[in-house]
Amino acid sequence: MSIKKPDNDSILADALLELLKEKPFEEVTVEDIVNKCGASRPTFYRHFKDKYDLMDWIYLKLIILKFRSHLRQRRRNFIQLKFIFKH
């Protein structure tokens, strides 16, 4: 079993989320984000246009995770119903 290494997008997102515990979004700079996670500014800009783009990515990722969770639960419910009606 291999351990998946976090991707740069996730590392930058985690840094932003940590910074938001300390100060409002408006006060967070790209420099703050890269300093928090040890990335470089060019790395940040290879992945995102600006901090707003990074925040959009975070929201999208959360929506996708929530949707996947919802689908898994519906699938489990369907399998349970199928089992109940089978017996």
Side-chain angles (χ1 to χ4, degrees), residues 26-37:
E26 296 78 24
E27 293 178 17
V28 175
T29 65
V30 170
E31 192 69 28
D32 293 334
I33 297 166
V34 297
N35 287 341
K36 186 77 170 175
C37 67

Side-chain angles (χ1 to χ4, degrees), residues 5-6 8 19 25-26 47 56 63 73 80 83-85:
K5 181 181 168 198
N8 286 329
L19 286 164
F25 180 76
E26 296 78 24
H47 295 266
D56 288 345
I63 290 168
Q73 183 60 44
Q80 288 171 349
F83 178 77
I84 290 170
F85 286 110

Side-chain angles (χ1 to χ4, degrees), residues 68-84:
R68 283 182 182 161
S69 173
H70 175 73
L71 287 179
R72 279 193 294 275
Q73 183 60 44
R74 292 205 50 176
R75 184 169 185 258
R76 281 192 292 272
N77 291 346
F78 177 75
I79 290 169
Q80 288 171 349
L81 280 174
K82 195 172 163 184
F83 178 77
I84 290 170

Side-chain angles (χ1 to χ4, degrees), residues 9-55:
D9 293 348
S10 296
I11 291 168
L12 292 163
D14 290 345
L16 174 56
L17 293 173
E18 284 298 313
L19 286 164
L20 291 176
K21 294 176 184 176
E22 302 168 15
K23 55 185 166 181
F25 180 76
E26 296 78 24
E27 293 178 17
V28 175
T29 65
V30 170
E31 192 69 28
D32 293 334
I33 297 166
V34 297
N35 287 341
K36 186 77 170 175
C37 67
S40 66
R41 288 177 69 87
T43 296
F44 180 91
Y45 288 112
R46 267 195 302 275
H47 295 266
F48 301 102
K49 292 186 300 188
D50 52 28
K51 68 179 186 176
Y52 299 95
D53 191 31
L54 172 55
M55 185 56 82

Side-chain angles (χ1 to χ4, degrees), residues 56-69:
D56 288 345
W57 183 87
I58 292 169
Y59 283 132
L60 183 60
K61 185 171 179 172
L62 290 173
I63 290 168
I64 289 168
L65 290 174
K66 190 70 168 166
F67 184 70
R68 283 182 182 161
S69 173

